[in-house]
Amino acid sequence: MKMIHCGDIHLESPLSTNFDHATALKRRNELLVSFIKMVKYAADNRMSAILIAGDIFDTPDVSRETLAIVMACIMKNPEITFIYLPGNHEKDVLLRAFSEMPANLKVFSAEQKMFVVENVVVAHADRPEELPTLYPGDMNIVMYHGEMDDARIRAWAGRNINYMALGHYHSYSEGVIDPRGVYCYSGCLEGRGFDECGPKGFVVLDFENNTLNRYFVPSAVRTIHEVIIDVTGLGGIEKIDEEIEKRVDELSREDMLKIVLKGSYLAGDSINTGFLQQRYNSMFFAVRVDASGIRLDMPEKDYRFDKSLKGEFIRQVMVSHDLSEAQKQMVVDMGLRALAGERL
Ligand SMILES: [Mn+2]
């Protein structure tokens, strides 16, 4: 018997802070496509249940179309039991959508804290002390939407839990609760912004002979790849570009790219991030260049006793109270290039 554990699908996310209007619309549809794909995967593999650990929707104001597609998906797959834990974003929107609840949709509430699928117990509590009693002879899953830290892990320990199906964090991660149980965040199905890089998908739980095996299935329509480039010692923009080109060579052009520049560069080598943005945007679905982590390499000894105009200029900028560190670096960089006769 197999189940899927997923969560944080965030259908109807606006996505407007990360993408332009057309791209955001496309990605919104892809979130829904990804959900349908997952349900089809469950149906094709004859799975018994899909556990949704919260945040299927991003908002309680879900459009009629999205709601209709999700409802149809549930009703067209009566052999799959959908066990749904409402998250912090969506309230009871799915519950209110149905005038009559389909038999294969089970929703946790204050009154209903446990379901049984074949011989597997699926329970929920917001706090460990509110958990219904779980028996050592059963296979016990607990669904929970929220954070896990050391104190919480200790509080959930010793309650005969085999697996905690968690939602809230948007990347896959796992850990040990006690000698019997593990917890796992499935992460979301799709990266929704450049802070959600890496493989996204769902977890398959495989119960065989009363033991539980699990594996992560990457399933995103598009992945956001993070490429970190240390610019230290690379020299000019053409070398940085060359390095990026090498690193993205194998990536699918349908995917998204986050280029993170770090390290330091020498005065006069300032980095035209607009060029990198433009160039890779024309190659990938969407690109973000993050140059906030690079700094100008300007050791104090190089300018402190420098009697030239260059030294005086740097000292003036560095003592300025009106400029942030980043602004100082930018002004020094521009100034030095101007002094070197470069056209800016
Ligand atoms: Mn979430």
Side-chain angles (χ1 to χ4, degrees):
M1 197 265 276
K2 286 181 185 167
M3 293 182 184
I4 279 178
H5 157 211
C6 68
D8 297 284
I9 301 162
H10 287 276
L11 298 173
E12 304 250 306
S13 287
L15 303 173
S16 48
T17 51
N18 284 289
F19 304 112
D20 62 51
H21 183 67
T23 309
L25 272 182
K26 197 161 188 187
R27 281 302 283 159
R28 283 176 74 162
N29 285 329
E30 284 173 357
L31 292 181
L32 198 48
V33 169
S34 212
F35 176 73
I36 295 167
K37 256 179 61 182
M38 178 189 71
V39 176
K40 186 170 186 313
Y41 180 97
D44 290 348
N45 291 282
R46 302 184 162 279
M47 298 198 175
S48 301
I50 295 180
L51 315 179
I52 305 169
D55 289 352
I56 183 173
F57 301 112
D58 192 64
T59 160
D61 302 313
V62 182
S63 71
R64 203 203 64 82
E65 291 88 344
T66 298
L67 210 47
I69 289 168
V70 171
M71 290 163 77
C73 220
I74 294 171
M75 289 185 295
K76 279 192 287 192
N77 291 283
E79 69 292 349
I80 300 172
T81 303
F82 291 79
I83 302 187
Y84 168 54
L85 172 63
N88 41 354
H89 286 93
E90 59 215 319
K91 304 199 176 123
D92 56 352
V93 50
L94 194 56
L95 270 180
R96 282 184 288 118
F98 290 102
S99 51
E100 198 179 322
M101 279 275 281
N104 64 325
L105 174 61
K106 313 284 183 197
V107 182
F108 285 112
S109 66
E111 296 76 40
Q112 188 65 57
K113 291 186 170 181
M114 189 188 278
F115 300 104
V116 178
V117 181
E118 294 173 37
N119 56 346
V120 174
V121 174
V122 183
H124 159 68
D126 282 324
R127 276 181 288 275
E129 56 277 16
E130 294 168 5
L131 192 66
T133 306
L134 303 176
Y135 296 96
D138 291 335
M139 177 60 74
N140 299 311
I141 309 289
V142 170
M143 290 174 70
Y144 171 68
H145 188 90
E147 290 171 30
M148 280 298 250
D149 53 24
D150 288 345
R152 287 188 178 88
I153 292 168
R154 276 195 299 278
W156 289 104
R159 295 172 193 269
N160 297 317
I161 299 171
N162 289 87
Y163 180 87
M164 276 187 88
L166 303 178
H168 185 55
Y169 290 138
H170 290 185
S171 285
Y172 177 91
S173 67
E174 56 175 51
V176 172
I177 309 169
D178 58 19
R180 174 175 174 138
V182 293
Y183 66 86
C184 184
Y185 287 94
S186 61
C188 44
L189 293 182
E190 297 285 327
R192 291 176 310 138
F194 292 95
D195 52 345
E196 296 185 355
C197 301
K200 303 294 174 195
F202 52 84
V203 179
V204 171
L205 306 175
D206 186 351
F207 306 89
E208 219 187 72
N209 310 323
N210 223 26
T211 60
L212 168 57
N213 291 303
R214 67 184 196 282
Y215 49 92
F216 177 74
V217 178
S219 69
V221 174
R222 287 177 217 279
T223 302
I224 307 175
H225 304 279
E226 186 177 53
V227 172
I228 301 173
I229 305 284
D230 188 344
V231 303
T232 314
L234 274 184
I237 183 86
E238 75 285 5
K239 293 280 190 257
I240 295 169
D241 181 41
E242 234 176 78
E243 191 61 29
I244 298 171
E245 213 180 337
K246 263 190 269 171
R247 296 276 301 280
V248 303
D249 188 42
E250 307 265 282
L251 303 179
S252 162
R253 296 313 191 231
E254 302 303 318
D255 282 352
M256 290 171 275
L257 188 60
K258 181 186 187 184
I259 300 169
V260 181
L261 304 180
K262 61 167 204 159
S264 59
Y265 63 102
L266 298 172
D269 269 346
S270 83
I271 293 163
N272 183 347
T273 53
F275 162 74
L276 297 176
Q277 176 80 45
Q278 198 94 10
R279 172 159 149 70
Y280 289 94
N281 233 338
S282 66
M283 293 162 65
F284 288 88
F285 181 76
V287 174
R288 164 84 47 95
V289 178
D290 177 3
S292 61
I294 48 171
R295 57 193 162 74
L296 184 62
D297 184 17
M298 198 177 41
E300 201 183 347
K301 63 174 175 52
D302 285 2
Y303 65 86
R304 192 160 176 205
F305 302 112
D306 185 341
K307 289 197 183 64
S308 71
L309 177 60
K310 182 176 140 191
E312 182 56 26
F313 166 67
I314 296 173
R315 283 190 294 274
Q316 288 291 327
V317 175
M318 295 316 271
V319 297
S320 157
H321 296 295
D322 308 330
L323 299 174
S324 69
E325 277 313 303
Q327 284 171 324
K328 284 179 188 172
Q329 291 188 0
M330 204 170 76
V331 171
V332 167
D333 188 52
M334 295 283 260
L336 292 182
R337 287 165 65 194
L339 284 171
E342 197 176 318
R343 267 182 64 191
L344 300 174

